[in-house]
Amino acid sequence: MMHLRIAGRLAAMLVLLIGCVALYYLWRLLPGRNPWPQNFLGAMAKLAGVEVTAIGTPARRALFLANHASWIDILALAGRTDTAFVAHSGLAGHGALKALCDMNRTVFIARHDRASVSEQVGQVRAAMADAKPLTIFPEGTTSDGTHFLPFKSSLLSAIDPPPPGVAIQPVLLDYGPGAADVAWLGSEPGPANFFKILGRPGPTRLTIHFLPPLAGEALTNRKTIAAAAEAAVRDACGAARALPNPAPLR
């Protein structure tokens, strides 16, 4: 049954991909916002068996700072908010994947290329000037879904200081008790995790908590932003699970 489930979901995803790519290019002939990246990513989450619940209100012009456990995070957040993402430049080396990322206006950065830091900061700030929200995963990688990694202030250089009119909004992505079953850790090959999720018999439940935007002294600089966003996400997770805040992984 697992193999049939995977095959059925893959077939549906392929049909969805072909249809949405065709509609995306047709829609480009018209003025205004192109809805098909958001439609595609949201539908992909549903086909993967993900049930998404949202709590709180996403700001219209926002930089979301979210914890990161799975590739599902991207599908669910984009499907709900039409957000673009800041991603590692290594993804740009995969032709078909890069083309899909470009449709959703992904900003690629080379985290270890110090020579181009100012250029990358400019690219991120330019993306935030758009009406489309932007998401950064400040942990820098995926966690095991049960603990959070420290939020790295170095990834927030582009919002030091924050651009006028852009809300800096922490977001908790909470998979509840099943978090460890869907988390994608660096030691696990991507395809293995992908097929594991597609083969799950029951739904994968994800609650997206849009927390209050940061304000006041929390916006002083990138370090205070990282600390405040991490604290907000940890506190929200503790409240959601009615448990003490998870201990940080250092």
Side-chain angles (χ1 to χ4, degrees):
M1 287 299 296
M2 181 184 71
H3 295 296
L4 287 175
R5 190 178 301 111
I6 292 173
R9 285 175 169 172
L10 281 175
M13 286 177 173
L14 180 59
V15 172
L16 175 69
L17 173 64
I18 293 171
C20 285
V21 168
L23 289 167
Y24 169 82
Y25 283 107
L26 286 173
W27 214 267
R28 288 183 63 182
L29 301 175
L30 303 174
R33 170 182 168 271
N34 194 321
W36 291 103
Q38 180 181 10
N39 293 343
F40 169 71
L41 293 167
M44 282 285 287
K46 291 180 180 179
L47 289 178
V50 183
E51 292 184 359
V52 180
T53 300
I55 297 175
T57 304
R60 296 189 64 181
R61 286 195 65 205
L63 176 70
F64 300 134
L65 302 180
N67 62 297
H68 194 20
S70 170
W71 51 271
I72 296 172
D73 303 343
I74 295 169
L75 306 182
L77 259 179
R80 281 283 170 166
T81 68
D82 193 31
T83 182
F85 295 89
V86 175
H88 191 279
S89 59
L91 291 176
H94 304 276
L97 181 58
K98 181 180 185 301
L100 291 175
C101 289
D102 286 343
M103 290 179 189
N104 197 47
R105 301 167 76 171
T106 299
V107 180
F108 294 104
I109 61 170
R111 295 172 188 161
H112 303 295
D113 184 3
R114 295 184 180 275
S116 63
V117 168
S118 60
E119 178 183 349
Q120 295 177 50
V121 167
Q123 292 173 348
V124 174
R125 290 187 75 89
M128 286 189 289
D130 196 355
K132 188 180 179 78
L134 187 66
T135 296
I136 293 178
F137 297 115
E139 291 167 297
T141 186
T142 50
S143 69
D144 67 359
T146 62
H147 295 75
F148 299 121
L149 300 174
F151 280 22
K152 299 178 179 178
S153 64
S154 59
L155 298 178
L156 306 181
S157 298
I159 54 172
D160 190 359
V166 175
I168 310 299
Q169 186 169 22
V171 176
L172 167 64
L173 302 171
D174 182 16
Y175 291 89
D181 296 330
V182 301
W184 177 22
L185 297 178
S187 58
E188 182 181 21
N193 183 270
F194 178 71
F195 290 124
K196 179 179 75 174
I197 299 299
L198 294 193
R200 285 168 60 89
T204 298
R205 293 185 172 87
L206 168 62
T207 302
I208 305 176
H209 298 260
F210 294 100
L211 306 176
L214 301 183
E217 293 184 357
L219 298 174
T220 301
N221 55 51
R222 60 186 174 87
K223 291 185 178 182
T224 61
I225 292 171
E230 181 181 342
V233 169
R234 287 182 184 279
D235 289 346
C237 182
R241 300 180 186 180
L243 293 172
N245 286 351
L249 295 180
R250 301 289 181 182

